[in-house]
Structures are given as C-alpha cells and as structure tokens.
Amino acid sequence: MNYRHVAIRVLQTVPVLFGVSVVVFIIIHSAPGDPVVNLLGIQATEENVAQLREAYGLNEPLYVQYLHWISGVLQGDLGQSITRERSVSALILSRLPATLFLAVASMVVATVIAIPAGVVSAVRKGSVSDHTVTVGALTGISVPNFWLGLILILVFARTFELLPPGNYVSPAANPVESLKHVLLPAITVGTAYAALLARQTRSSMLDNINREYVKMAKSKGLSSRKVFVRHALKQALLPVITVAGLQFGYLLSATVVVEQIFAWPGMGRLIWSAVRQQDYPTVQGTVLVIAALFVFINLLVDMAYAYLDPRVSVS
Amino acid sequence: MSDHSLLSVEGLTTEFATQHGRITAVKDVSFDLEPGERLGIVGESGSGKSVTARSVMGLLDENGRVASGSVTLGGRELTDMSESELGDVRGSEIAMIFQDPMSSLTPVLTVGTQIVETILEHRDVSETDARERAIELLDRVRIPDPESVVDAYPHELSGGQRQRVLIAIAISTDPDILVADEPTTALDVTIQAQILDLLVELVDDRGMGLIQITHDLGVVAETCDNVAVMYAGRIVERGPVSEVFVTPRHPYTAGLLRSTPRIADVEPDLLAGTVPDPGERPTGCNFASRCSHATDDCRTGDPPLERAGNHEAACVRTAQLGPLEPVPNVQRHESDHSASTSTLIDSNDVRKEFSSADSLLDRLLPGGDPPVKAVDGVDVSLAEGETLGLVGESGSGKTTLGRLLLELTDRSDGEIRFDGRPLTEVPEDELRSRIQFVFQDPNSSLNPRQTVGTILQYAVQKHDEGVDVDSRVRELLREVGLDPETRHDYPHQLSGGQKQRVGVARALAVDPDVIVADEPTSALDVSVQGQLLELLEEIKLERGLSMLFISHDLSVIRHISDRVAVMYLGRLVEVAATEELFESPRHPYTEALLSAVPDPDPRVDSERIILEGEIPDPKRPPDGCNFVTRCPEAMPECEHDDPKLVGDGEDSVACLLHNDATRADDRRRPKADRE
C-alpha cells in the first residue's frame, strides 16, 4: 500500500460521514415528540416550553439548525446536551472507553474461538468436529443476545457465582478485576460475531484448500500443517477480515442492548437514554462518533488487506 | 515390467465418488519411466491424463482414490503410503509442475519463501544458504535479476516468469522425476518455446525423468522420447514418438494426428464425435463409436494393449489395418475469395488507451500510472466475404481491436468506417444487427439461468418481431449442427463445443453481415475445435459473411483465414494473404511466431527461432520499433525509428528491413499533404 492509496481511502470517508450526519439529523428530528416537553414534563406551561425551545434554537428552520450543528461539529464542538448539564463531547469521552473495551474484548473472544474452529471444520470437513462447529455456529447466530446475556448472568453470576454480572471496571485501574467483569458481556456480544466469523472462515478455507496452489504446496512435500497454515489460511483470512470489519457495526449495535443488561456505562446506554429523552445533540453526536468509528475500523481493514495481500497495492 | 525402472505404474485404476455414483476416470494404466527418459502422456480433456499424474503424486481431490494397481518409485509402493510418508517423497524424489502458473503459486507469499520452504523441508541447510540456492535456481531458470525477483510476489511477475518459478521450485531439491502437467498451455507460443527449451535442457542436464502431460501433440513431438496416447481413461497406444506419430497403429492416434490443424500446408481431416464422459463409456473399445474402422468385434471387450509393429496399441484390428497415415493428404483448398470485392469495415489510425485511474480522486491526485496503449494506431480493413485472421500473443491488443470495430469499447482516437459511413453515423440498432460477436468463453457468455431457446429467442425477436420465433430457433440450432431439442436445455447441460455452437447460433440470429469471433475455439479440444472451425467456414460460405477471426493459434488462423494480420504490442506488424504469410513471412516477429509453433510431425526438424524476453509493458513501450527489445535482427536505427506499416499491393509489413518509412514521416508532413 502506498501513501496515495491511503490518501484516497481517507478522503473517501468524508462524504460518508457527511451523509451520516444528514441522515441522523433528519431521522431524530422527524421522530414524534419534543425534547423540551420531555424535559419539563407534561405540566409545563406553554410559556416555559416556548422559552426553552428558543434557548435551544429549536424554533429555527431545520436546515438552519443543521448548519448550526454541523459548523460546530467541524470546529470540534458537538454541542450541549439538552437533558444533562454537560457538553456532548464530555459525555461521549466519559462513555467511549467502556464501550471500546467491551467491543475489543468481544472481538478477541470471538476471534480466538472462531478462526481455529473454522479452520478445523474446513480441514476435517464432514467429521464430528466439523458438524459441531457448523451446528454451534448456527446456534450462535440464532440466539438473541439479550436472552443469552440473561442466561449467562443467571448461570455464572447467580447460580454458581463464578463471575460478576457485568459492571464496568476500568482496565487501567484494575486489569485482572476488569477482565473478570468484561467476560460475560463480551461473550454475550461476541457469540453471534464468532458464529459469523467461524462460518466465513470455514467456507473461505474450503474454497482455498482445493485450489491449485494448495496442491502445489503439497506436491513440494510440505507437512499438512504448513500447507494449511502458511499457504491456505493467510489467503483464506482475507474475506474473513472484510466480514469482521463490516460486522463491527453489528458489534457496536449489540452493545446498546447488552450494556443495558450488564449495567455497562458505555455509549450504548448513552444512546439509549438520549433517544428516549429525544436529546437531539447527544443522539446526533454519539451516532456520528460511532459512524466515524465504524468507518475508521473499515479503513484499518483495508490497510490490513494491503499487509496480508500484496496484490492490493497495485490494483 | 522391468526391475530397473525409476517409476513403474502398473494397472492403475482411479475412481471418483460423485453424485451419480462411482466413476472410473482412469482404468488399467501401466507405464514405466527410466532415468533420463522423457515420456509424453497425451490426450484430449476427459482422457484421464491429468488424473494419472495426480494419482502418481497422491494429489487426487478428496473424492478420488486409487482403486487398484500400483505405483512404485525406486522399489517403494506409493499408493499405500501415509500423507506424511508421501511428504518425504514429494518434492524431493518426484516433483510436479502445474498447468496454470497464475493459480499454482500462493499469492500471498514471496517467490523466495516458496522456493526456500521446499529446500528447507528436504535439505538440512540454513535459511541463508537456502536463500542463496533459491537465487541460483532463479538464475538457472533464466529469470533476469534473480536477486530482486526472489523477494517479489507472484502477481508482480509475468506468466512466463511464474512458470519459470514453478520449474525452479520443482528442481530445487534435484528430484529424480519431474511431472509436468500441461506446463505451457497457459502461455503464449513464443514463451512456450522458451519454457519447453528450458525444461528439456534441465532434464537432460540432471538426468531426470520427465513425464509431460499435454493435449498438444506438437509439444510431445518436440520434447519427448516416448509417448502414451490416452483415450477415455485408457492408454490406447504407447511407444517411441518417432514411431507412434509417424506410423500410428491405433485409429484414435491417427485420427488425432490427422485432425490437428498444422502450420504445414494440409487440410485437417476431422475426427467426428466427442470423447464419451467417464460415466458413459461404452462396453468394448471406447473409441468404436467414432472409429471408421470399427466392426462388431470392437464392441465386445476392452482391447488390451498389445505389441503392434515396434510399439504397442490397444486395438483388435491392428493386424488387419497395418500402419495408419498420420498426415492427411488433402491439400489445402485455396481460398476462392477474390480481392476485388468492396470493403465493409475500414479503420484508420485507431487507438485505444486504458487509464489505470479508476476513480475521480485517483485522477485528481498526482503520481498515477501512464495509460495502457492497448491499440496504438491500427489501419485495418475487412472486405465483403473475407475472413481476416488477427493473430497475436496475449497483451497484443487483438481482443481490444475486435471490440473497437464493433463499438463494444469506445475508441480513444482514429476513425472506423462501416459500409462507407463513419461508425458514429451508423445507428446502434443497425450496427448490432449487422455485426455480431462470438465470445471466447461460452461458459461466461451464455446466461446460465436461461435455456438455449430463451437465449436465442431474444436475439431473434430483437432482429425481426414478426417471425415465428420457435421455428426460427429450431432452424438456427439445425444450422449450427445441434438437435433442435437442445432449446429446452440450460447451458450447463451442454458440452463446451455445443455451448460454443449456441454462441454461433446467437450471432447468426440477427442475420449479420460480419462476425467477429474472439478465440472461439481456444477452450475446446482439438477434435471439437476442428468441427467448430468447419462449421464457421460452412456458414460463412453459405451466407456470404465476412469474418474477423481473432486467435493466438497460428494453425487455426492458417486453417480459416483468407488474409492474416499479425499484431504485436498494440500495432499491426504484418498483413498479408494467408498463403503468402505462412510461406514467406517478412516481419521477424511473424517469422519467430511461425517457427515457435511445435509441429506434431517428429520428422520435421525445423530451425526454431526462440525469442528472448517477453512482451514489454504496454504502459511504457520502447522507443522506435515496438519489437526492438526482442528482435533477433534489430539494427541500430530500430532503436529510435518507428517503422510504419507499408503495403506493396496486398501485403504490408512494418519493419525497417523492408521499408524505411517511419511513423514520424506522417507527423512531420503538413496536414494538407496527408489528405
């Protein structure tokens, strides 16, 4: 990958993020209800409501509100929360680490299980381990994460009391404790993700182990392990990484529900409450940050591609 | 079988488990290989030649297994070895070169890694020594600049270089036997000549045994001592090449030899029918249904391989038939095409550049690649009723030129006149109904979800709405030699040859004046290819069509064309009447191209001109003549003077040896002069 390629990819993210900002703005503003009424309660006088609307600029035409908001965003100011006495940036900064920690932990859990499972399943196609992985993956995709989360809490936290039922502990403060706390929510979020990755790894490996170059590697007298790991797997991982990047969006959306279950003080819970209160600036800011995160992850995936697949730099 | 053989294959039978039950791909195949022997195994697709090679190597697909027979290498049985025992034998004692260098190298590992790992697996050396050895090997297979190629990835190399890398890997541990499975099929003819030359040299140098698997009789004749001809899973004839190809005793061998289009001045004598599918082989001799000598005796039992003259053949009638004639004695009928007919398509200085920038941003940012000059100023004309053969190697721009003439691709510059009018003034509808294209790969040019009838129906309706579609479809299918009932089939139910016939029928549906056929036979076996060529010729004569026939295969071009245009790196280097061009080529490239085609007749000892190097990058063509980097007769002025295609009468050539006109002359003259 050369700098030119990187520059092109970075510039391409600009219109994407701009599109996201417009869409989220329109959607949240066209939802029924009013943040001021939510804030003041139904007994509030019309006068008070009008005053507060004026104060937050909610009486302006929509495009003026948008321009006002987006010009702030471009200067690094995401605005003030309507329902909380803080800036949206501060809210996000206080919540982002917990969500990122959960997302990364889920990813690690998922990858550690999924890739080896997918490889074994493909190499021993038709064997008991293959069937176990296939059935397991189907189950993993089918199980709703909120249900899985509740069951995990019930079994591991309540009945056997092996692990705490969530509750974020900062990894900087206490690494060991923090890992214990993240395990159950990470499994909850990561299961479906792992299932997807395992299936993708399996089909991608199957696709590759019948290719000529794998036969060629065998014809050189290499051991099966070398043939599969060095030749087939590196190539087979390319589509897996694409899927992993795209499904990172799933991971982030899963945190919205799972953070509720495990009382996890992350972005998911922030969005959840902001949407309920129709806290426009907070919803807009958090969604924009999450979209940027998603775009950034996929940018990383592209770069990883160039590292794993030397052909990318020329195409 | 002799005890001294290096490799001995005895009664090998290989089966595959499929949805339709077990299918025997290879049956009762036996052969020996002595040290230093070069054995060719030749056959059409479905003959079992590749399966034989893979059975020997233990590299069958998952559903395949050696059902019976033995493969012994230096006295050890290979068929019942475990995978890890085989690992010690493969690569170190017996190595394989695969067909497609594109897909046989692991794309994500460097060339060096792939050579080094082989050496480390079998030899007790350090990594540094192995790398040194890898560089030596790359040098040995004549890859320029091996020190940097060793760190290159496969995609950075050309097809020919990749094939050299495969060879370097195969010889890296000095195996006793080299199995080469169609090693040059994916390569251009001038590169094929280089690779075959290299292979033979290496094998002779090191006293290795070579098993060359190929469909190309010419390759066997050029490179092998002995040959085994396979048909429908069995060896039907075996012996020294000088015998088998000169006095064949099996009717199939003779038929194959006779039906192969040759550079020599003979008309191929076609072999009717097709190879039966492995699941549908008849009782008795597999070839009986296609054999003109077959009697009732042939349909009772599988004939064994028996002594016939100085070699062996599997035919019950060997004694009665005696030696058969391998070369048809029919002289090529001279084309009755007269040069006086009017010109239908005429192109003037046509150019096409492909930009590598694919997005807006890519074009805005500095530092992109220069465009590829795919077609670089070509003047070509096609007369009414004429077949013009356009021949060139991959990357020569022949396909792009074909597409430009149909306006399937927009041209960058130049003018094309169709029927006297500029192409831009011909309405799209008229153009599409008067010029039709037959594509190279029938698998991807026919919609897999539509029946043959539906595919043709669209074309028929498009052309003429009033016609009775169904009867017209049936008529078309009959015209291309297919059963009208084929219209209910989907493309995947047809053989390659049948699919390509559907492609031809689709082109004919609009009743065109011109057909542009782009390598229509390159995916087909020799006998099927011959049948399709014959069909195209018949149709052309019957309907008075003009045809632009694009191919890399000179024998095919010779067979079908009235006139031939030779293309190299985006330009025409020679245009001449077929006879003229093949008898006395004038451009050094044409000459080299002709001499590089392997001839199936082992008695022909033609002097080969082996071109050095490869086609230059079309993004950066050389100054002066485009061919200067490879031309055996390059002169100092060729380095800077760019020769122009100049005609005397019907024949023209772009070479300073024959004419000193250059392209620059045109540009220097004021525009008014040129009119």
Side-chain angles (χ1 to χ4, degrees), chain B residues 267 270 333 385-389 436-440 476 478-481 497 499-509 512-522 524 527-551 556-557 559-562:
Chain B
E267 192 73 12
L270 296 182
H333 68 86
E386 178 191 44
T387 300
L388 175 68
Q436 276 290 312
F437 208 83
V438 177
F439 292 90
Q440 172 171 12
L476 280 168
R478 263 193 296 269
E479 189 176 352
V480 297
K499 271 183 256 187
Q500 201 53 295
R501 280 167 193 264
V502 174
V504 173
R506 178 172 59 184
L508 293 178
D513 299 331
V514 183
I515 285 189
V516 176
D518 185 8
E519 303 259 16
T521 61
S522 66
L524 307 175
S527 58
V528 184
Q529 162 180 294
Q531 293 161 9
L532 195 82
L533 290 177
E534 199 178 52
L535 173 77
L536 283 172
E537 218 162 11
E538 262 171 34
I539 289 171
K540 198 205 104 183
L541 284 177
E542 223 160 84
R543 296 186 167 222
L545 294 172
S546 312
M547 183 152 68
L548 177 67
F549 193 96
I550 302 170
S551 179
V556 169
I557 287 279
H559 181 50
I560 199 156
S561 319
D562 302 316

Side-chain angles (χ1 to χ4, degrees), chain B residues 231-251:
Chain B
Y231 182 78
R234 289 171 155 271
I235 293 181
V236 294
E237 185 155 9
R238 190 174 67 189
V241 174
S242 56
E243 296 241 345
V244 175
F245 282 10
V246 178
T247 53
R249 302 300 299 264
H250 194 286

Side-chain angles (χ1 to χ4, degrees), chain B residues 99-102 159-160 163 182-189 192 215 394:
Chain B
Q99 170 170 3
D100 185 3
M102 217 68 150
Q163 194 62 60
E182 304 262 14
T184 56
T185 306
L187 305 176
D188 281 316
V189 60
Q192 161 168 296
H215 70 284
S394 49

